[in-house]
Amino acid sequence: MAPYHVLMVHFPIALWITATLAILLRAFSGGALAHAVDRALVPLLSVSLVFGIIAFALGLLVWPWETISASALGRNHILAASWTITYWAMVLVVRWRRGEAVWNGLSRWIMAGFALVGSALLGITGTLGGHLVGIYTEVSVALRMLGWDVYTTYYVPNMTLAAILVVSVLLLGLGEWARRTFYHHAK
């Protein structure tokens, strides 16, 4: 399965990088080309997500679970791949649900930030996968300078998970309040 995983991961990589460029173009431009590219963004993100899920599933078949989960690098790669897929799924849902409104005001810069963070996650996931097969990059050096050695287990302490949950609930509440406030004033 390893050759299939290696082959398949290049599809979501290329498509998500293309989506990043499309989002950045649309964030910085309101021209005809940016609008045309934006019309293809939801299908592009959808196809990317499908390929990402397929690549993830194939990746789980490369090594036995006991083997890959016994390695800190393996666990980090699976964790980063899970985050990447989930993150880009969130970008897809935001763009799909908000429609053209996502490019109004501050939202356009938030979308640009989403795209850049998603690309960073994609790069980290690819770097970790490369390390698993003996292909090393300077990204791991940069991560080490930021305080994360890719050969040690990254984990999220329980208090951090609780903080993420609280902040998520607060952000959902704030979003619902803003939607109702702006929707009410728009009538």
Side-chain angles (χ1 to χ4, degrees), residues 87-102:
Y87 191 85
W88 280 105
M90 183 268 315
V91 172
L92 167 61
V93 169
V94 167
R95 174 55 188 89
W96 173 49
R97 296 277 307 188
R98 295 275 331 268
E100 285 287 321
V102 80

Side-chain angles (χ1 to χ4, degrees), residues 20 23 87-88 90-91 94 109-119:
T20 297
I23 290 169
Y87 191 85
W88 280 105
M90 183 268 315
V91 172
V94 167
W109 307 117
I110 292 171
M111 282 297 289
F114 282 168
L116 293 173
V117 169
S119 290

